[in-house]
Amino acid sequence: ANTIAKPARGLVVEILDEKNTVIVSTQTNAQGGYSASVPASTLVKVRVKTQMQSKSSPIWDVKVTDNTNNYAVYAIEGDLRDSGRSNSIRNLHAAEKLTYYHGVDDRSASPFNIIDIAYTLFSRMASEANINNFPSLEYRWSEKNRAVSGNESLGEIGGAGYFVPDTRVIYLSGNSSTSMHDFDSHVIAHETGHYITYALFRGSNGMGTGPHNEWSINDIRISFNEGIATAYAGILLSDPQWREVAIVNGQPISTYNGNNLSCGTCFPNKGAYTEGNTYYLVYSYYDKTKNQFAKPLDNFFKLFSDKGFMASAVFPSIYLFAAQVEKLNPTQFVDFQPLLNQQNIFGRGALGEGETFAADIPFMLPHYPLIQPGQAPVQVCTTSYYYDTAANYSAFGLHRTLLLKINASGNYSVKVTKSGGDADSVVPHLAVFQASQYKFWLYSNVTNGVDLSSWGGLPPYFNAGEYTLDIEGNTNTNFAGQKIKSCFDVSVAAL
């Protein structure tokens, strides 16, 4: 009942001859208009592709492809007609028609709507935040795509997601009887928010996400990573109300209205451990301060492009975000800090130092115990307290992080040894990061522990600086839902 026609903005337009050869290419403008000069009295047709390309500021290359059809870029075409000897106008329209088993569907508009969301987000960032260089991005959508994992050429994509950050690919569902996201602006913008995080700024590498929602208790990295993507969606769409199509009895006949991003009382679980708290806090900060800056979006994104965020030794989290607000906009932090405290976030600085709220697991604090070469082992403990579902690898408690300070460059070993807890046998992982980027990674290579004393047959070399150690405890699915605790002694020594 609310169908509207919208302009196809910033898209590649090709003029083809009767041999299907492109004779000229241009782009649509912000009103969906285009112009091209072609030979007179020649048979030509117009093709519009779901692709945004620009080699001058702003630079971008974005496309929507069909993963069930050899990753072809979607397009609509007109008929071959004589160009004549005077100017003429040729309009194209991508339609949308869902008939539910009673006829032939026309889903032409779906990929065009997806790329139009990208145009909305990117053009705002370019014009209002002076961000003008966007690495390439591909959306993979098909009406066959559904939330079943398997062969993506058959549409088995496992649901909407930005699964492998380095590939810069977003998957979106389109099956009209199970799950479809082609007109879910917030879902599309959320997944694009992950691209913004990883391609333009800095993401949290190093752990799988697994199942998550607004109120689940997750590692502070995942809570921020997911929450910031939702905050970006609300901010760049200028719409804090999350909406998406709900499939009822095999038909998309209703809309699910999720939590409003500006609602601070919608989540029963507090602290830095839920993505709901993260997107509420980030969105609220922007919304409450946007009238205090001449260029509010530019000021907002500088929190992330600043060296303090990009080069921090610890992972991005709501603590690092708050530290950036305090550093760059101290006047606004005076009003932001009470919002943090209302959500039981009391720690300060990038490390969340002084935090007292631990979501019922007091031994998980502090978030970043300090460790230095030559000092006595530091004990940290992990737990399956919130590991309630197999593959929920982002559950709070499965990982412990430490801040490692190396004063002099050289070869060092890192040892992790089980030193207590309820689990008889544990297979831990050790990952070493610098500014969220992998340096070393080891699966348990000694009984109940890890010994990083060689890497590729050579002793591991550390430059002077700060690193983050990530200890992952037992993710044995037999422990899912059980409050199993495992403790480890961690030590670092010069070689």
Side-chain angles (χ1 to χ4, degrees), residues 359-377:
D360 296 327
I361 315 178
F363 59 78
M364 290 296 295
L365 294 177
H367 290 298
Y368 288 94
L370 176 64
I371 187 168
Q372 292 180 289
Q375 75 177 53

Side-chain angles (χ1 to χ4, degrees), residues 133-151:
N133 192 352
F134 297 86
S136 61
L137 173 63
E138 179 180 354
Y139 296 88
R140 293 180 182 173
W141 173 89
S142 168
E143 60 186 84
K144 300 177 183 178
N145 283 1
R146 57 200 185 281
V148 175
S149 298
N151 186 342

Side-chain angles (χ1 to χ4, degrees), residues 318-335:
I318 192 63
Y319 298 110
L320 181 54
F321 176 82
Q324 286 295 101
V325 172
E326 186 173 17
K327 170 190 172 184
L328 299 180
N329 303 314
T331 301
Q332 286 70 33
F333 183 77
V334 173
D335 295 324

Side-chain angles (χ1 to χ4, degrees), residues 202 302-312 324 327:
R202 176 187 170 202
K302 282 180 179 177
L303 296 171
F304 306 101
S305 61
D306 178 72
K307 183 179 179 181
F309 186 88
M310 294 293 292
S312 173
Q324 286 295 101
K327 170 190 172 184

